[in-house]
PDB file of all heavy atoms in Angstrom:
ATOM      1  N   GLY A   1     -34.448  35.435 -93.394  1.00  0.00           N
ATOM      2  CA  GLY A   1     -34.768  35.098 -94.781  1.00  0.00           C
ATOM      3  C   GLY A   1     -33.962  35.828 -95.826  1.00  0.00           C
ATOM      4  O   GLY A   1     -34.218  35.665 -97.022  1.00  0.00           O
ATOM      5  N   ILE A   2     -32.987  36.635 -95.437  1.00  0.00           N
ATOM      6  CA  ILE A   2     -32.215  37.351 -96.447  1.00  0.00           C
ATOM      7  C   ILE A   2     -31.212  36.410 -97.108  1.00  0.00           C
ATOM      8  O   ILE A   2     -30.887  35.345 -96.589  1.00  0.00           O
ATOM      9  CB  ILE A   2     -31.490  38.575 -95.840  1.00  0.00           C
ATOM     10  CG1 ILE A   2     -30.355  38.143 -94.907  1.00  0.00           C
ATOM     11  CG2 ILE A   2     -32.475  39.467 -95.105  1.00  0.00           C
ATOM     12  CD1 ILE A   2     -29.509  39.312 -94.414  1.00  0.00           C
ATOM     13  N   HIS A   3     -30.703  36.806 -98.247  1.00  0.00           N
ATOM     14  CA  HIS A   3     -29.802  35.958 -99.039  1.00  0.00           C
ATOM     15  C   HIS A   3     -28.508  35.664 -98.273  1.00  0.00           C
ATOM     16  O   HIS A   3     -27.974  36.521 -97.564  1.00  0.00           O
ATOM     17  CB  HIS A   3     -29.478  36.664-100.357  1.00  0.00           C
ATOM     18  CG  HIS A   3     -28.991  35.747-101.426  1.00  0.00           C
ATOM     19  ND1 HIS A   3     -27.719  35.209-101.436  1.00  0.00           N
ATOM     20  CD2 HIS A   3     -29.609  35.272-102.539  1.00  0.00           C
ATOM     21  CE1 HIS A   3     -27.560  34.453-102.497  1.00  0.00           C
ATOM     22  NE2 HIS A   3     -28.706  34.467-103.189  1.00  0.00           N
ATOM     23  N   GLU A   4     -28.014  34.434 -98.445  1.00  0.00           N
ATOM     24  CA  GLU A   4     -26.804  34.025 -97.729  1.00  0.00           C
ATOM     25  C   GLU A   4     -25.599  34.889 -98.088  1.00  0.00           C
ATOM     26  O   GLU A   4     -24.704  35.108 -97.262  1.00  0.00           O
ATOM     27  CB  GLU A   4     -26.496  32.546 -98.018  1.00  0.00           C
ATOM     28  CG  GLU A   4     -27.530  31.580 -97.468  1.00  0.00           C
ATOM     29  CD  GLU A   4     -27.732  31.721 -95.967  1.00  0.00           C
ATOM     30  OE1 GLU A   4     -26.720  31.782 -95.234  1.00  0.00           O
ATOM     31  OE2 GLU A   4     -28.897  31.796 -95.529  1.00  0.00           O
ATOM     32  N   LYS A   5     -25.556  35.408 -99.300  1.00  0.00           N
ATOM     33  CA  LYS A   5     -24.423  36.252 -99.694  1.00  0.00           C
ATOM     34  C   LYS A   5     -24.375  37.537 -98.868  1.00  0.00           C
ATOM     35  O   LYS A   5     -23.295  38.055 -98.581  1.00  0.00           O
ATOM     36  CB  LYS A   5     -24.507  36.594-101.187  1.00  0.00           C
ATOM     37  CG  LYS A   5     -24.174  35.436-102.117  1.00  0.00           C
ATOM     38  CD  LYS A   5     -24.188  35.900-103.566  1.00  0.00           C
ATOM     39  CE  LYS A   5     -23.822  34.768-104.515  1.00  0.00           C
ATOM     40  NZ  LYS A   5     -23.855  35.220-105.940  1.00  0.00           N
ATOM     41  N   ILE A   6     -25.543  38.052 -98.497  1.00  0.00           N
ATOM     42  CA  ILE A   6     -25.585  39.263 -97.678  1.00  0.00           C
ATOM     43  C   ILE A   6     -25.119  38.942 -96.258  1.00  0.00           C
ATOM     44  O   ILE A   6     -24.408  39.739 -95.624  1.00  0.00           O
ATOM     45  CB  ILE A   6     -26.988  39.886 -97.676  1.00  0.00           C
ATOM     46  CG1 ILE A   6     -27.431  40.196 -99.106  1.00  0.00           C
ATOM     47  CG2 ILE A   6     -27.024  41.132 -96.809  1.00  0.00           C
ATOM     48  CD1 ILE A   6     -26.483  41.109 -99.869  1.00  0.00           C
ATOM     49  N   LYS A   7     -25.501  37.790 -95.757  1.00  0.00           N
ATOM     50  CA  LYS A   7     -25.024  37.385 -94.430  1.00  0.00           C
ATOM     51  C   LYS A   7     -23.503  37.243 -94.433  1.00  0.00           C
ATOM     52  O   LYS A   7     -22.817  37.686 -93.494  1.00  0.00           O
ATOM     53  CB  LYS A   7     -25.680  36.071 -94.015  1.00  0.00           C
ATOM     54  CG  LYS A   7     -27.195  36.133 -93.882  1.00  0.00           C
ATOM     55  CD  LYS A   7     -27.777  34.777 -93.527  1.00  0.00           C
ATOM     56  CE  LYS A   7     -29.293  34.779 -93.570  1.00  0.00           C
ATOM     57  NZ  LYS A   7     -29.889  33.462 -93.246  1.00  0.00           N
ATOM     58  N   GLU A   8     -22.977  36.631 -95.482  1.00  0.00           N
ATOM     59  CA  GLU A   8     -21.522  36.464 -95.589  1.00  0.00           C
ATOM     60  C   GLU A   8     -20.830  37.827 -95.697  1.00  0.00           C
ATOM     61  O   GLU A   8     -19.777  38.051 -95.087  1.00  0.00           O
ATOM     62  CB  GLU A   8     -21.189  35.591 -96.796  1.00  0.00           C
ATOM     63  CG  GLU A   8     -21.682  34.155 -96.659  1.00  0.00           C
ATOM     64  CD  GLU A   8     -21.632  33.389 -97.978  1.00  0.00           C
ATOM     65  OE1 GLU A   8     -21.152  33.977 -98.986  1.00  0.00           O
ATOM     66  OE2 GLU A   8     -22.094  32.235 -98.003  1.00  0.00           O
ATOM     67  N   GLN A   9     -21.424  38.721 -96.483  1.00  0.00           N
ATOM     68  CA  GLN A   9     -20.875  40.066 -96.627  1.00  0.00           C
ATOM     69  C   GLN A   9     -20.851  40.778 -95.277  1.00  0.00           C
ATOM     70  O   GLN A   9     -19.856  41.425 -94.916  1.00  0.00           O
ATOM     71  CB  GLN A   9     -21.718  40.866 -97.628  1.00  0.00           C
ATOM     72  CG  GLN A   9     -21.379  42.348 -97.719  1.00  0.00           C
ATOM     73  CD  GLN A   9     -20.209  42.631 -98.643  1.00  0.00           C
ATOM     74  OE1 GLN A   9     -19.621  41.708 -99.180  1.00  0.00           O
ATOM     75  NE2 GLN A   9     -19.885  43.903 -98.801  1.00  0.00           N
ATOM     76  N   ALA A  10     -21.929  40.662 -94.531  1.00  0.00           N
ATOM     77  CA  ALA A  10     -22.018  41.327 -93.235  1.00  0.00           C
ATOM     78  C   ALA A  10     -20.933  40.835 -92.281  1.00  0.00           C
ATOM     79  O   ALA A  10     -20.363  41.626 -91.512  1.00  0.00           O
ATOM     80  CB  ALA A  10     -23.398  41.109 -92.627  1.00  0.00           C
ATOM     81  N   CYS A  11     -20.634  39.556 -92.334  1.00  0.00           N
ATOM     82  CA  CYS A  11     -19.603  38.994 -91.453  1.00  0.00           C
ATOM     83  C   CYS A  11     -18.205  39.516 -91.789  1.00  0.00           C
ATOM     84  O   CYS A  11     -17.307  39.484 -90.946  1.00  0.00           O
ATOM     85  CB  CYS A  11     -19.608  37.471 -91.518  1.00  0.00           C
ATOM     86  SG  CYS A  11     -21.037  36.699 -90.724  1.00  0.00           S
ATOM     87  N   ARG A  12     -18.036  39.990 -93.011  1.00  0.00           N
ATOM     88  CA  ARG A  12     -16.727  40.541 -93.415  1.00  0.00           C
ATOM     89  C   ARG A  12     -16.618  42.038 -93.134  1.00  0.00           C
ATOM     90  O   ARG A  12     -15.532  42.609 -93.201  1.00  0.00           O
ATOM     91  CB  ARG A  12     -16.490  40.295 -94.911  1.00  0.00           C
ATOM     92  CG  ARG A  12     -16.323  38.832 -95.298  1.00  0.00           C
ATOM     93  CD  ARG A  12     -15.830  38.698 -96.729  1.00  0.00           C
ATOM     94  NE  ARG A  12     -16.809  39.160 -97.699  1.00  0.00           N
ATOM     95  CZ  ARG A  12     -17.726  38.387 -98.271  1.00  0.00           C
ATOM     96  NH1 ARG A  12     -17.795  37.100 -97.958  1.00  0.00           N
ATOM     97  NH2 ARG A  12     -18.580  38.877 -99.158  1.00  0.00           N
ATOM     98  N   MET A  13     -17.732  42.670 -92.846  1.00  0.00           N
ATOM     99  CA  MET A  13     -17.749  44.116 -92.663  1.00  0.00           C
ATOM    100  C   MET A  13     -17.321  44.493 -91.251  1.00  0.00           C
ATOM    101  O   MET A  13     -17.280  43.651 -90.350  1.00  0.00           O
ATOM    102  CB  MET A  13     -19.141  44.668 -92.998  1.00  0.00           C
ATOM    103  CG  MET A  13     -19.530  44.430 -94.457  1.00  0.00           C
ATOM    104  SD  MET A  13     -21.257  44.822 -94.840  1.00  0.00           S
ATOM    105  CE  MET A  13     -21.180  46.604 -94.986  1.00  0.00           C
ATOM    106  N   THR A  14     -16.996  45.764 -91.058  1.00  0.00           N
ATOM    107  CA  THR A  14     -16.547  46.246 -89.763  1.00  0.00           C
ATOM    108  C   THR A  14     -17.437  47.386 -89.294  1.00  0.00           C
ATOM    109  O   THR A  14     -18.356  47.823 -90.010  1.00  0.00           O
ATOM    110  CB  THR A  14     -15.090  46.753 -89.831  1.00  0.00           C
ATOM    111  OG1 THR A  14     -15.072  48.042 -90.492  1.00  0.00           O
ATOM    112  CG2 THR A  14     -14.196  45.781 -90.596  1.00  0.00           C
ATOM    113  N   GLU A  15     -17.140  47.894 -88.116  1.00  0.00           N
ATOM    114  CA  GLU A  15     -17.904  49.004 -87.558  1.00  0.00           C
ATOM    115  C   GLU A  15     -17.792  50.276 -88.393  1.00  0.00           C
ATOM    116  O   GLU A  15     -18.582  51.212 -88.212  1.00  0.00           O
ATOM    117  CB  GLU A  15     -17.457  49.284 -86.118  1.00  0.00           C
ATOM    118  CG  GLU A  15     -16.041  49.802 -85.952  1.00  0.00           C
ATOM    119  CD  GLU A  15     -14.978  48.703 -85.974  1.00  0.00           C
ATOM    120  OE1 GLU A  15     -15.323  47.519 -86.191  1.00  0.00           O
ATOM    121  OE2 GLU A  15     -13.790  49.043 -85.775  1.00  0.00           O
ATOM    122  N   ARG A  16     -16.842  50.314 -89.324  1.00  0.00           N
ATOM    123  CA  ARG A  16     -16.660  51.493 -90.174  1.00  0.00           C
ATOM    124  C   ARG A  16     -17.451  51.399 -91.487  1.00  0.00           C
ATOM    125  O   ARG A  16     -17.449  52.341 -92.278  1.00  0.00           O
ATOM    126  CB  ARG A  16     -15.174  51.683 -90.483  1.00  0.00           C
ATOM    127  CG  ARG A  16     -14.325  51.894 -89.237  1.00  0.00           C
ATOM    128  CD  ARG A  16     -12.848  52.054 -89.564  1.00  0.00           C
ATOM    129  NE  ARG A  16     -12.626  53.298 -90.302  1.00  0.00           N
ATOM    130  CZ  ARG A  16     -11.903  53.401 -91.412  1.00  0.00           C
ATOM    131  NH1 ARG A  16     -11.337  52.313 -91.935  1.00  0.00           N
ATOM    132  NH2 ARG A  16     -11.728  54.561 -92.000  1.00  0.00           N
ATOM    133  N   ASP A  17     -18.120  50.268 -91.687  1.00  0.00           N
ATOM    134  CA  ASP A  17     -18.757  50.017 -92.983  1.00  0.00           C
ATOM    135  C   ASP A  17     -20.238  50.367 -93.007  1.00  0.00           C
ATOM    136  O   ASP A  17     -21.084  49.597 -93.494  1.00  0.00           O
ATOM    137  CB  ASP A  17     -18.546  48.556 -93.389  1.00  0.00           C
ATOM    138  CG  ASP A  17     -17.102  48.264 -93.750  1.00  0.00           C
ATOM    139  OD1 ASP A  17     -16.462  49.126 -94.374  1.00  0.00           O
ATOM    140  OD2 ASP A  17     -16.607  47.183 -93.400  1.00  0.00           O
ATOM    141  N   THR A  18     -20.570  51.545 -92.464  1.00  0.00           N
ATOM    142  CA  THR A  18     -21.932  52.060 -92.615  1.00  0.00           C
ATOM    143  C   THR A  18     -21.849  53.503 -93.104  1.00  0.00           C
ATOM    144  O   THR A  18     -20.818  54.169 -92.970  1.00  0.00           O
ATOM    145  CB  THR A  18     -22.730  52.022 -91.289  1.00  0.00           C
ATOM    146  OG1 THR A  18     -22.191  52.970 -90.364  1.00  0.00           O
ATOM    147  CG2 THR A  18     -22.725  50.623 -90.683  1.00  0.00           C
ATOM    148  N   ASN A  19     -22.933  53.974 -93.662  1.00  0.00           N
ATOM    149  CA  ASN A  19     -23.069  55.380 -94.074  1.00  0.00           C
ATOM    150  C   ASN A  19     -24.295  55.987 -93.421  1.00  0.00           C
ATOM    151  O   ASN A  19     -25.306  55.297 -93.199  1.00  0.00           O
ATOM    152  CB  ASN A  19     -23.228  55.493 -95.598  1.00  0.00           C
ATOM    153  CG  ASN A  19     -21.899  55.534 -96.331  1.00  0.00           C
ATOM    154  OD1 ASN A  19     -20.912  56.060 -95.824  1.00  0.00           O
ATOM    155  ND2 ASN A  19     -21.864  54.989 -97.545  1.00  0.00           N
ATOM    156  N   LEU A  20     -24.211  57.278 -93.142  1.00  0.00           N
ATOM    157  CA  LEU A  20     -25.372  58.044 -92.707  1.00  0.00           C
ATOM    158  C   LEU A  20     -25.902  58.808 -93.907  1.00  0.00           C
ATOM    159  O   LEU A  20     -25.192  59.638 -94.481  1.00  0.00           O
ATOM    160  CB  LEU A  20     -24.994  59.003 -91.583  1.00  0.00           C
ATOM    161  CG  LEU A  20     -24.617  58.349 -90.260  1.00  0.00           C
ATOM    162  CD1 LEU A  20     -24.036  59.378 -89.305  1.00  0.00           C
ATOM    163  CD2 LEU A  20     -25.828  57.659 -89.624  1.00  0.00           C
ATOM    164  N   ILE A  21     -27.130  58.508 -94.291  1.00  0.00           N
ATOM    165  CA  ILE A  21     -27.752  59.178 -95.428  1.00  0.00           C
ATOM    166  C   ILE A  21     -28.944  60.008 -94.953  1.00  0.00           C
ATOM    167  O   ILE A  21     -29.389  59.884 -93.808  1.00  0.00           O
ATOM    168  CB  ILE A  21     -28.189  58.172 -96.513  1.00  0.00           C
ATOM    169  CG1 ILE A  21     -29.256  57.212 -95.983  1.00  0.00           C
ATOM    170  CG2 ILE A  21     -26.976  57.384 -97.021  1.00  0.00           C
ATOM    171  CD1 ILE A  21     -29.844  56.297 -97.037  1.00  0.00           C
ATOM    172  N   PHE A  22     -29.446  60.859 -95.823  1.00  0.00           N
ATOM    173  CA  PHE A  22     -30.583  61.737 -95.532  1.00  0.00           C
ATOM    174  C   PHE A  22     -30.278  62.754 -94.431  1.00  0.00           C
ATOM    175  O   PHE A  22     -31.196  63.305 -93.825  1.00  0.00           O
ATOM    176  CB  PHE A  22     -31.833  60.936 -95.136  1.00  0.00           C
ATOM    177  CG  PHE A  22     -32.291  59.922 -96.140  1.00  0.00           C
ATOM    178  CD1 PHE A  22     -33.044  58.830 -95.734  1.00  0.00           C
ATOM    179  CD2 PHE A  22     -31.973  60.034 -97.483  1.00  0.00           C
ATOM    180  CE1 PHE A  22     -33.483  57.886 -96.652  1.00  0.00           C
ATOM    181  CE2 PHE A  22     -32.401  59.097 -98.404  1.00  0.00           C
ATOM    182  CZ  PHE A  22     -33.150  58.012 -97.988  1.00  0.00           C
ATOM    183  N   ARG A  23     -28.994  63.023 -94.196  1.00  0.00           N
ATOM    184  CA  ARG A  23     -28.650  64.010 -93.170  1.00  0.00           C
ATOM    185  C   ARG A  23     -29.204  65.387 -93.559  1.00  0.00           C
ATOM    186  O   ARG A  23     -29.705  66.129 -92.715  1.00  0.00           O
ATOM    187  CB  ARG A  23     -27.129  64.097 -93.010  1.00  0.00           C
ATOM    188  CG  ARG A  23     -26.466  62.848 -92.452  1.00  0.00           C
ATOM    189  CD  ARG A  23     -26.836  62.589 -91.018  1.00  0.00           C
ATOM    190  NE  ARG A  23     -25.847  63.148 -90.099  1.00  0.00           N
ATOM    191  CZ  ARG A  23     -25.953  63.091 -88.778  1.00  0.00           C
ATOM    192  NH1 ARG A  23     -27.006  62.533 -88.229  1.00  0.00           N
ATOM    193  NH2 ARG A  23     -25.026  63.602 -88.006  1.00  0.00           N
ATOM    194  N   THR A  24     -29.087  65.716 -94.830  1.00  0.00           N
ATOM    195  CA  THR A  24     -29.537  67.038 -95.280  1.00  0.00           C
ATOM    196  C   THR A  24     -31.054  67.171 -95.231  1.00  0.00           C
ATOM    197  O   THR A  24     -31.587  68.285 -95.208  1.00  0.00           O
ATOM    198  CB  THR A  24     -29.060  67.307 -96.716  1.00  0.00           C
ATOM    199  OG1 THR A  24     -29.571  66.281 -97.581  1.00  0.00           O
ATOM    200  CG2 THR A  24     -27.545  67.315 -96.792  1.00  0.00           C
ATOM    201  N   LEU A  25     -31.758  66.058 -95.218  1.00  0.00           N
ATOM    202  CA  LEU A  25     -33.218  66.067 -95.182  1.00  0.00           C
ATOM    203  C   LEU A  25     -33.755  65.992 -93.762  1.00  0.00           C
ATOM    204  O   LEU A  25     -34.971  65.939 -93.559  1.00  0.00           O
ATOM    205  CB  LEU A  25     -33.765  64.884 -95.992  1.00  0.00           C
ATOM    206  CG  LEU A  25     -33.313  64.786 -97.447  1.00  0.00           C
ATOM    207  CD1 LEU A  25     -33.909  63.542 -98.105  1.00  0.00           C
ATOM    208  CD2 LEU A  25     -33.685  66.042 -98.219  1.00  0.00           C
ATOM    209  N   ARG A  26     -32.843  65.952 -92.781  1.00  0.00           N
ATOM    210  CA  ARG A  26     -33.232  65.821 -91.381  1.00  0.00           C
ATOM    211  C   ARG A  26     -34.053  64.556 -91.146  1.00  0.00           C
ATOM    212  O   ARG A  26     -35.007  64.530 -90.359  1.00  0.00           O
ATOM    213  CB  ARG A  26     -34.019  67.056 -90.900  1.00  0.00           C
ATOM    214  CG  ARG A  26     -33.269  68.373 -91.019  1.00  0.00           C
ATOM    215  CD  ARG A  26     -32.172  68.490 -89.986  1.00  0.00           C
ATOM    216  NE  ARG A  26     -32.694  68.538 -88.631  1.00  0.00           N
ATOM    217  CZ  ARG A  26     -31.928  68.460 -87.537  1.00  0.00           C
ATOM    218  NH1 ARG A  26     -30.621  68.317 -87.657  1.00  0.00           N
ATOM    219  NH2 ARG A  26     -32.468  68.515 -86.325  1.00  0.00           N
ATOM    220  N   ASN A  27     -33.673  63.497 -91.843  1.00  0.00           N
ATOM    221  CA  ASN A  27     -34.323  62.201 -91.679  1.00  0.00           C
ATOM    222  C   ASN A  27     -33.247  61.112 -91.719  1.00  0.00           C
ATOM    223  O   ASN A  27     -33.350  60.135 -92.442  1.00  0.00           O
ATOM    224  CB  ASN A  27     -35.360  61.986 -92.786  1.00  0.00           C
ATOM    225  CG  ASN A  27     -36.208  60.751 -92.551  1.00  0.00           C
ATOM    226  OD1 ASN A  27     -36.443  60.348 -91.410  1.00  0.00           O
ATOM    227  ND2 ASN A  27     -36.655  60.122 -93.631  1.00  0.00           N
ATOM    228  N   THR A  28     -32.208  61.306 -90.929  1.00  0.00           N
ATOM    229  CA  THR A  28     -30.995  60.493 -90.976  1.00  0.00           C
ATOM    230  C   THR A  28     -31.290  59.002 -90.894  1.00  0.00           C
ATOM    231  O   THR A  28     -32.119  58.556 -90.092  1.00  0.00           O
ATOM    232  CB  THR A  28     -30.055  60.890 -89.818  1.00  0.00           C
ATOM    233  OG1 THR A  28     -29.722  62.271 -89.955  1.00  0.00           O
ATOM    234  CG2 THR A  28     -28.787  60.056 -89.835  1.00  0.00           C
ATOM    235  N   ALA A  29     -30.588  58.238 -91.722  1.00  0.00           N
ATOM    236  CA  ALA A  29     -30.681  56.782 -91.693  1.00  0.00           C
ATOM    237  C   ALA A  29     -29.279  56.194 -91.783  1.00  0.00           C
ATOM    238  O   ALA A  29     -28.448  56.672 -92.555  1.00  0.00           O
ATOM    239  CB  ALA A  29     -31.541  56.274 -92.847  1.00  0.00           C
ATOM    240  N   ARG A  30     -29.035  55.161 -90.978  1.00  0.00           N
ATOM    241  CA  ARG A  30     -27.760  54.448 -91.056  1.00  0.00           C
ATOM    242  C   ARG A  30     -27.961  53.183 -91.881  1.00  0.00           C
ATOM    243  O   ARG A  30     -28.820  52.360 -91.573  1.00  0.00           O
ATOM    244  CB  ARG A  30     -27.227  54.090 -89.666  1.00  0.00           C
ATOM    245  CG  ARG A  30     -25.802  53.501 -89.724  1.00  0.00           C
ATOM    246  CD  ARG A  30     -25.277  53.127 -88.351  1.00  0.00           C
ATOM    247  NE  ARG A  30     -25.148  54.255 -87.462  1.00  0.00           N
ATOM    248  CZ  ARG A  30     -24.143  55.119 -87.484  1.00  0.00           C
ATOM    249  NH1 ARG A  30     -23.176  54.986 -88.385  1.00  0.00           N
ATOM    250  NH2 ARG A  30     -24.106  56.111 -86.614  1.00  0.00           N
ATOM    251  N   VAL A  31     -27.157  53.050 -92.927  1.00  0.00           N
ATOM    252  CA  VAL A  31     -27.259  51.911 -93.842  1.00  0.00           C
ATOM    253  C   VAL A  31     -25.873  51.349 -94.114  1.00  0.00           C
ATOM    254  O   VAL A  31     -24.855  51.973 -93.778  1.00  0.00           O
ATOM    255  CB  VAL A  31     -27.929  52.335 -95.174  1.00  0.00           C
ATOM    256  CG1 VAL A  31     -29.339  52.852 -94.938  1.00  0.00           C
ATOM    257  CG2 VAL A  31     -27.088  53.392 -95.901  1.00  0.00           C
ATOM    258  N   ALA A  32     -25.840  50.185 -94.721  1.00  0.00           N
ATOM    259  CA  ALA A  32     -24.564  49.574 -95.084  1.00  0.00           C
ATOM    260  C   ALA A  32     -23.836  50.448 -96.109  1.00  0.00           C
ATOM    261  O   ALA A  32     -24.456  51.042 -96.997  1.00  0.00           O
ATOM    262  CB  ALA A  32     -24.791  48.183 -95.655  1.00  0.00           C
ATOM    263  N   LYS A  33     -22.537  50.522 -95.955  1.00  0.00           N
ATOM    264  CA  LYS A  33     -21.715  51.260 -96.920  1.00  0.00           C
ATOM    265  C   LYS A  33     -21.576  50.420 -98.185  1.00  0.00           C
ATOM    266  O   LYS A  33     -21.111  49.284 -98.152  1.00  0.00           O
ATOM    267  CB  LYS A  33     -20.338  51.542 -96.310  1.00  0.00           C
ATOM    268  CG  LYS A  33     -19.400  52.340 -97.211  1.00  0.00           C
ATOM    269  CD  LYS A  33     -18.085  52.624 -96.495  1.00  0.00           C
ATOM    270  CE  LYS A  33     -17.087  53.327 -97.401  1.00  0.00           C
ATOM    271  NZ  LYS A  33     -17.589  54.636 -97.901  1.00  0.00           N
ATOM    272  N   ASN A  34     -22.001  50.977 -99.317  1.00  0.00           N
ATOM    273  CA  ASN A  34     -21.845  50.305-100.606  1.00  0.00           C
ATOM    274  C   ASN A  34     -21.838  51.372-101.700  1.00  0.00           C
ATOM    275  O   ASN A  34     -21.830  52.581-101.414  1.00  0.00           O
ATOM    276  CB  ASN A  34     -22.940  49.247-100.833  1.00  0.00           C
ATOM    277  CG  ASN A  34     -24.349  49.842-100.893  1.00  0.00           C
ATOM    278  OD1 ASN A  34     -24.536  51.053-100.891  1.00  0.00           O
ATOM    279  ND2 ASN A  34     -25.338  48.974-100.966  1.00  0.00           N
ATOM    280  N   GLU A  35     -21.841  50.944-102.945  1.00  0.00           N
ATOM    281  CA  GLU A  35     -21.766  51.908-104.050  1.00  0.00           C
ATOM    282  C   GLU A  35     -22.950  52.873-104.048  1.00  0.00           C
ATOM    283  O   GLU A  35     -22.794  54.069-104.329  1.00  0.00           O
ATOM    284  CB  GLU A  35     -21.712  51.153-105.381  1.00  0.00           C
ATOM    285  CG  GLU A  35     -20.443  50.339-105.588  1.00  0.00           C
ATOM    286  CD  GLU A  35     -20.475  49.517-106.863  1.00  0.00           C
ATOM    287  OE1 GLU A  35     -21.492  49.620-107.595  1.00  0.00           O
ATOM    288  OE2 GLU A  35     -19.515  48.774-107.125  1.00  0.00           O
ATOM    289  N   VAL A  36     -24.117  52.357-103.715  1.00  0.00           N
ATOM    290  CA  VAL A  36     -25.323  53.190-103.771  1.00  0.00           C
ATOM    291  C   VAL A  36     -25.332  54.216-102.639  1.00  0.00           C
ATOM    292  O   VAL A  36     -25.574  55.407-102.861  1.00  0.00           O
ATOM    293  CB  VAL A  36     -26.587  52.313-103.728  1.00  0.00           C
ATOM    294  CG1 VAL A  36     -27.841  53.189-103.754  1.00  0.00           C
ATOM    295  CG2 VAL A  36     -26.606  51.338-104.890  1.00  0.00           C
ATOM    296  N   SER A  37     -25.073  53.766-101.404  1.00  0.00           N
ATOM    297  CA  SER A  37     -25.098  54.722-100.289  1.00  0.00           C
ATOM    298  C   SER A  37     -23.947  55.711-100.390  1.00  0.00           C
ATOM    299  O   SER A  37     -24.084  56.872 -99.979  1.00  0.00           O
ATOM    300  CB  SER A  37     -25.080  53.988 -98.942  1.00  0.00           C
ATOM    301  OG  SER A  37     -23.903  53.234 -98.761  1.00  0.00           O
ATOM    302  N   ASP A  38     -22.805  55.283-100.957  1.00  0.00           N
ATOM    303  CA  ASP A  38     -21.717  56.230-101.197  1.00  0.00           C
ATOM    304  C   ASP A  38     -22.159  57.333-102.151  1.00  0.00           C
ATOM    305  O   ASP A  38     -21.811  58.510-101.977  1.00  0.00           O
ATOM    306  CB  ASP A  38     -20.499  55.510-101.795  1.00  0.00           C
ATOM    307  CG  ASP A  38     -19.673  54.767-100.763  1.00  0.00           C
ATOM    308  OD1 ASP A  38     -19.880  54.985 -99.554  1.00  0.00           O
ATOM    309  OD2 ASP A  38     -18.806  53.964-101.172  1.00  0.00           O
TER     310      ASP A  38
END
């Protein structure tokens, strides 16, 4: 049910296009690399 633009974006992304956030909080999460996660 997610927006088609996100599906299209995902198809253009690569294995390098994720970020690990919350590392300093010891609650690591892997999310898509974008302006916010950067």
Side-chain angles (χ1 to χ4, degrees):
I2 70 173
H3 200 285
E4 294 303 313
K5 287 184 179 179
I6 303 303
K7 298 178 188 179
E8 294 167 3
Q9 171 84 357
C11 289
R12 293 191 294 269
M13 298 171 79
T14 75
E15 66 278 4
R16 300 179 67 228
D17 290 322
T18 69
N19 274 327
L20 292 170
I21 63 174
F22 303 156
R23 294 292 265 178
T24 58
L25 304 178
R26 301 287 295 171
N27 188 29
T28 300
R30 187 181 297 281
V31 299
K33 182 177 176 60
N34 63 7
E35 294 175 2
V36 179
S37 63
D38 281 347

